[in-house]
Amino acid sequence: MRKDFRGAGPRLPRCGKRGRACLDRFFYRALPSRDTWQLHAHQEAVKAGGSGSDARNGRMKMRVTRRNFIGGTAAAIAGMSLTSVLTGKAFAQGSDTLRVGFAARGLRTIDPHKSIQGVDNWAIIALYDKLVDLPRWNFPASQDELVPRLATSWQGSEDAKTWTIQLREGVQFHKGYGEMTSEDVKYTFDRVTDAKRIGGVRAKFTNIASVETKGPHTVIFHLEQPDPLFMLGALSDYDGAIMSKKAIEEKGDEAIGTDPIGTGVYVLEKVATDPSQGITLAANPDYWDTKAATPKLQFLYIADTTARTLAILSGDVHIIEGVRAPGWADSMAQRDPNLIFDVVSPGSFFTIQFNLTKPPFDDIRVRQALFYGIDRDEITTAIAPISKRTYGLNPPSFPGGFTAETIPPEVAYKYDPEKAKALLAEAGFANGLTFTNATSQREDFSAIMLMIQDQLRRINVNMELSIKDHTAFHADQNIGTNTLSQQSSAMPPVPTQVILTYLPSEAEVRADGNGGANMSHYGVAIPGIDDLLAKALAEPDLEKRIAIVQQIEVKALSDAVILPVSDNGFMMVRSNKVDLGFPVVSGYVNWPLSQAKFN
């Protein structure tokens, strides 16, 4: 959905009683405030190999002062106006390459089954094709509205446990790896369900009992439990991309992450040695469908907010990942009224999982104290209009999603600092509590966690926050190191999807990085929801299934293992000289750029 942010909301959003001081801590200004300098100092310390506390205590390899910070920022601005650090061409010079800047420090992987950094998925969907896709670009009102891609047709059995899919004939893998057949589809889903090979996304596909081939162009999915939304829930996102059996067997599971072979509209041209320069894709001349409108795509990684902002304003890049922080969009619209803001809603679900293996968070009273001590209304008001309140794990706009009126009062966790203090005292922390935690420097993560840090101080809880670059943050969190883990992920309107992703014991995070996104160890450290989830998955009636999902959400909230904070619309900002070829309304937080072109 194209948004006009001029005049949208107050110039400086309200942040509770603490007002501007609460916001300045994470929102950069043209002339940085002391708090903004501290956040950049956090980032510089991380770059130098230190931590956020290193920045506060001056233990950095390169000392950052307010004076040299402002001087350095001015120099960077001046330098970018002459020769871009991105070595890109401005519009006036013309370009056959569409450049997109993301808020991360570098590529993690282009393997659809191992991706843990959402921005990498933009390249994945350009390099690979899925069996089906969303209408461009919104979640469909029904599964029947899905768009055929490598599948030409599909049919579910009456009990929704068997799905027969007809494949498109003559589709070729990149670089001479041959025709895509049913053997590649079977291999793809055998791989993603193999616990020895795949971690993160595997939980999403565990309902697949087996994949059968019937000739080169027919595949049959046999499910453990009925799933009336199988095509939408399991097959329509980036991790449903079809991979080449021959390529993986030849290159290996690790190499395929940087040397991918798909059937997509673009082919990998190069992965830059400089992480900030990202990856370059070239149009696939043999593509089976409409050819790419622009010869090349370059995905750049520009973690620094100022650099990313200047890059779009100068024309060095054509699209950037927006900054989900107070006032940024409004400020950008004033700087350049011609910018277009593409926002998907509900966007990403921002949740916090409490690590049950780390005392004192093995005590439910401590967890509930923090639940009551976090003011989610204050957070969403501060980041409006991008951020909206959520009450359960599914947002209010999804089937069965709880609203302010329907969430059971006992798990609503309305902000109550006095109750939080009482619970802490009961748990033996009457004099307060201190713990360490990490977050990402990406603005939506750092903005929320810095506000939470401030809120927790009001109940005498000191969260010592280490701010890491986004890539390193996910790498560390993915091996279970964090105390309060944060996830910001988009989900389809399938009620069980968020449950399958975060709560079953089978999705438990693992120290080797091959686990799932159950960062709390729920169902392992304490009894979880596995039995209820099995019951929900076995229920073919959608309304009855939704009712069981609501029971699951209530139990997880009662156990205080995962706190739904907000739904944050995902925003990309583009020049008005770039036409996507379709409007962005809703859907996953990565949309096709195959028909994007310069006006």
Side-chain angles (χ1 to χ4, degrees):
M1 179 180 299
R2 177 173 174 169
K3 298 283 188 179
D4 185 349
F5 285 94
R6 285 166 287 174
R11 179 70 53 82
L12 184 67
R14 180 180 62 83
C15 190
K17 296 178 180 178
R18 302 201 173 224
R20 178 170 179 166
C22 174
L23 301 182
D24 279 346
R25 195 168 282 137
F26 53 85
F27 180 42
Y28 86 94
R29 302 283 178 191
L31 293 176
S33 67
R34 178 176 179 273
D35 287 326
T36 305
W37 164 75
Q38 288 176 335
L39 176 53
H40 279 269
H42 273 292
Q43 297 168 352
E44 291 300 323
V46 171
K47 293 177 192 175
S51 66
S53 59
D54 292 335
R56 289 192 303 274
N57 297 321
R59 295 193 299 270
M60 290 171 32
K61 294 180 182 178
M62 179 183 72
R63 180 174 174 79
V64 178
T65 66
R66 178 178 171 84
R67 178 176 296 175
N68 65 32
F69 173 82
I70 295 174
T73 301
I77 293 171
M80 288 185 68
S81 67
L82 297 173
T83 56
S84 169
V85 297
L86 304 175
T87 66
K89 296 180 181 178
F91 280 109
Q93 298 169 291
S95 177
D96 66 350
T97 302
L98 181 68
R99 293 180 175 85
V100 186
F102 292 114
R105 201 161 296 283
L107 176 73
R108 291 283 301 168
T109 181
I110 329 172
D111 185 334
H113 297 161
K114 297 185 177 182
S115 175
I116 60 170
Q117 181 171 265
V119 296
D120 295 340
N121 301 338
W122 288 75
I124 288 172
I125 65 169
L127 292 162
Y128 290 92
D129 285 314
K130 299 169 280 188
L131 293 170
V132 295
D133 208 349
L134 306 185
R136 295 191 175 182
W137 190 243
N138 59 274
F139 281 129
S142 74
Q143 190 166 250
D144 294 338
E145 295 177 14
L146 288 172
V147 178
R149 299 301 295 158
L150 295 181
T152 57
S153 64
W154 53 90
Q155 181 66 50
S157 61
E158 190 172 340
D159 64 0
K161 291 180 67 175
T162 304
W163 289 83
T164 302
I165 297 176
Q166 302 300 322
L167 301 178
R168 194 174 299 278
E169 299 183 25
V171 176
Q172 298 294 315
F173 281 108
H174 301 160
K175 302 179 181 178
Y177 274 86
E179 184 180 356
M180 182 276 305
T181 71
S182 58
E183 286 297 327
D184 298 295
V185 176
K186 174 177 169 56
Y187 183 85
T188 295
F189 290 96
D190 285 349
R191 179 180 189 252
V192 79
T193 54
D194 185 346
K196 294 180 180 179
R197 301 174 72 180
I198 303 299
V201 303
R202 186 175 59 84
K204 178 176 176 179
F205 300 96
T206 52
N207 193 33
I208 298 175
S210 64
V211 182
E212 174 189 354
T213 63
K214 191 175 180 180
H217 302 113
T218 302
V219 288
I220 304 172
F221 286 86
H222 299 282
L223 308 185
E224 298 280 359
Q225 303 289 353
D227 186 354
L229 297 176
F230 175 69
M231 300 297 295
L232 173 61
L235 304 185
S236 67
D237 202 0
Y238 75 94
D239 45 15
I242 302 304
M243 307 180 76
S244 166
K245 177 181 179 180
K246 179 182 178 181
I248 298 175
E249 289 182 339
E250 179 182 300
K251 298 172 183 291
D253 277 334
E254 293 304 315
I256 206 71
T258 52
D259 188 14
I261 299 294
T263 61
V265 66
Y266 282 94
V267 179
L268 179 69
E269 181 174 277
K270 67 176 180 179
V271 177
T273 54
D274 176 356
S276 71
Q277 294 299 301
I279 61 175
T280 302
L281 313 183
N284 179 1
D286 302 316
Y287 192 53
W288 59 270
D289 199 7
T290 304
K291 303 294 192 292
T294 300
K296 292 186 181 182
L297 295 179
Q298 185 179 9
F299 295 116
L300 299 136
Y301 293 85
I302 315 172
D304 183 76
T305 297
T306 304
R308 202 163 71 254
T309 299
L310 289 170
I312 186 75
L313 291 173
S314 68
D316 285 322
V317 300
H318 312 121
I319 304 174
I320 64 167
E321 181 180 349
V323 179
R324 287 178 282 184
W328 183 87
D330 186 56
S331 173
M332 288 293 287
Q334 292 179 42
R335 292 187 188 191
D336 185 349
N338 295 315
L339 288 173
I340 297 170
F341 298 81
D342 295 311
V343 181
V344 291
S345 181
S348 302
F349 307 171
F350 193 93
T351 57
I352 297 174
Q353 296 187 52
F354 287 62
N355 192 332
L356 301 172
T357 68
K358 289 192 174 186
F361 296 103
D362 54 346
D363 188 328
I364 190 172
R365 295 169 297 185
V366 174
R367 300 195 301 272
Q368 288 179 332
L370 268 65
F371 273 42
Y372 282 112
I374 294 173
D375 188 344
R376 292 174 286 171
D377 287 322
E378 180 179 82
I379 291 167
T380 51
T381 298
I383 313 180
I386 294 298
S387 184
K388 300 184 186 302
R389 260 302 304 269
T390 187
Y391 303 89
L393 297 182
N394 280 294
S397 60
F398 276 19
F402 285 119
T403 65
E405 293 73 33
T406 61
I407 186 77
E410 66 272 16
V411 293
Y413 292 106
K414 292 183 178 179
Y415 180 58
D416 190 339
E418 295 307 314
K419 188 168 187 175
K421 291 176 185 177
L423 283 164
L424 287 170
E426 186 181 328
F429 295 97
N431 296 322
L433 167 66
T434 296
F435 68 97
T436 59
N437 202 56
T439 193
S440 165
Q441 74 173 49
R442 202 177 81 181
E443 299 83 6
D444 51 331
F445 282 77
S446 58
I448 290 173
M449 293 308 291
L450 284 163
M451 276 192 281
I452 288 175
Q453 181 187 53
D454 185 71
Q455 292 170 352
L456 293 180
R457 288 194 185 108
R458 304 173 202 171
I459 61 170
N460 205 19
V461 170
N462 178 31
M463 177 172 65
E464 295 182 344
L465 200 58
S466 171
I467 299 179
K468 303 179 179 181
D469 78 75
H470 193 63
T471 306
F473 165 74
H474 272 305
D476 290 345
Q477 185 166 271
N478 199 49
I479 58 175
T481 60
N482 219 355
T483 306
L484 306 186
S485 293
Q486 307 119 58
Q487 296 284 348
S488 182
S489 301
M491 305 279 178
V494 176
T496 53
Q497 195 66 64
V498 67
I499 310 298
L500 282 165
T501 302
Y502 295 144
L503 297 183
S505 59
E506 193 168 20
E508 182 189 19
V509 66
R510 284 168 36 184
D512 63 2
N514 287 323
N518 176 354
M519 306 288 178
S520 66
H521 304 271
Y522 195 38
V524 180
I526 65 173
I529 50 79
D530 288 357
D531 290 343
L532 273 173
L533 178 57
K535 183 179 177 183
L537 294 175
E539 177 53 66
D541 183 271
L542 187 57
E543 292 303 316
K544 292 179 181 178
R545 178 179 287 206
I546 288 172
I548 301 170
V549 167
Q550 290 181 331
Q551 292 179 45
I552 292 172
E553 293 192 38
V554 169
K555 176 168 173 52
L557 291 170
S558 297
D559 291 334
V561 296
I562 182 169
L563 180 68
V565 177
S566 60
D567 298 329
N568 299 325
F570 185 82
M571 176 171 59
M572 296 291 283
V573 183
R574 61 184 160 99
S575 164
N576 68 329
K577 296 182 177 69
V578 175
D579 178 12
L580 293 180
F582 54 86
V584 174
V585 180
S586 64
Y588 300 116
V589 295
N590 40 76
W591 44 89
L593 296 176
S594 61
Q595 298 309 303
K597 60 184 179 182
F598 299 115
N599 294 328

